[in-house]
Amino acid sequence: MSEILVIGATGNVGRHVVARLLDAGASVRALVRDPGGARLPEGVEAARGDLAEPGTLEPALAGVDVVFLIWPFLTAEGAPPVLDVLARHVRRVVYLSSSGVDDQAERQTDPINQLHADMEALIAGSGLEWTVLRADTIASNARGWAAQVRAAGVVRGPEFASTAVVDPRDVADVAARVLAGDGHAGAAYVLTGPEVIGRADQVRAIGEAIGRPVRFESVPVEEARARMLADGRPPALVEALLAAAGTRPRSGLVTSTIQELTGAPARTFGQWAADHADDFR
């Protein structure tokens, strides 16, 4: 059986992808920088490699047919040599992108969507068979509020446009189906949750999950920047997130793609919060 290589296997989405593939009986390999320190489920082969050093990927790709790719950088600058290596070894790549990518726009609204648009274009021109999963805001991003929830019951941050927040488990369910099956070449699937929800509603749902009131307080950009930097987020990421907060339009888009591809309805943010309440207590 050909191996499926998961790049980003220890992240919020990737770890669920690994679990779903194992449940389906697939042969799974995870690309990690430190195999000895990686916490992977039993049955997953850990392969050493680093996207920042494309030459290290060669051994990890031996016998691999399909790759699930999460790109962890804020620009696509280093992607071409990585895709060159992938194209020499594998048939197909499944890339986790953003629902904010606008195919009709010459430039995207913010740096994060521009990164994903650039990556999609590079993958399309790589010679690889490809599928793109354009996910809406991932629910597990809310874990970044955990310290504020525990400390004061108030989440302070920039106001982002409301979107149909999607559960990472649903994204992983789709990814596993696409990785292990055929018939998805050239498809760009837009994955959303079942309802458009803003930050205040997300924070309120977390409060309901932990059994005490929690509220969201929108703050000016400079205060938000200081708070995010104090939380330990990398400066480049902070600037990209603040740019997205300032320019990303509200989206009313809700798709049925998750149910169509998996047979199960997309989970609500409230379900995610209830299942991860201990992260905020």
Side-chain angles (χ1 to χ4, degrees), residues 63-76:
V64 169
D65 184 53
V66 185
V67 170
F68 181 67
L69 175 60
I70 295 176
W71 188 251
F73 308 112
L74 290 174
T75 76

Side-chain angles (χ1 to χ4, degrees), residues 84-100:
D84 287 344
V85 175
L86 295 184
R88 290 199 299 270
H89 291 273
V90 308
R91 175 176 61 90
R92 185 160 59 103
V93 63
V94 177
Y95 174 64
L96 182 60
S97 184
S98 167
S99 65

Side-chain angles (χ1 to χ4, degrees), residues 129-149:
E129 184 180 305
W130 57 268
T131 307
V132 169
L133 307 182
R134 290 179 173 173
D136 212 318
T137 304
I138 304 292
S140 50
N141 291 351
R143 283 199 178 101
W145 302 331
Q148 295 186 70
V149 171

Side-chain angles (χ1 to χ4, degrees), residues 16-17 20-21 24 133 166-181 184 189-194 255-267 271:
H16 291 298
V17 174
R20 299 299 188 272
L21 289 170
L133 307 182
V166 64
D167 193 305
R169 295 170 295 186
D170 290 330
V171 177
D173 287 343
V174 170
R177 295 287 183 111
V178 172
L179 288 161
H184 305 283
Y189 295 124
V190 179
L191 311 179
T192 78
T255 72
S256 58
T257 310
I258 288 170
Q259 181 155 10
E260 290 167 5
L261 292 176
T262 70
R267 297 172 175 90
Q271 287 176 273

Side-chain angles (χ1 to χ4, degrees), residues 147-156 212-214:
Q148 295 186 70
V149 171
R150 288 193 292 265
V154 179
V155 174
R156 296 181 175 88
R212 59 185 177 85
V214 183

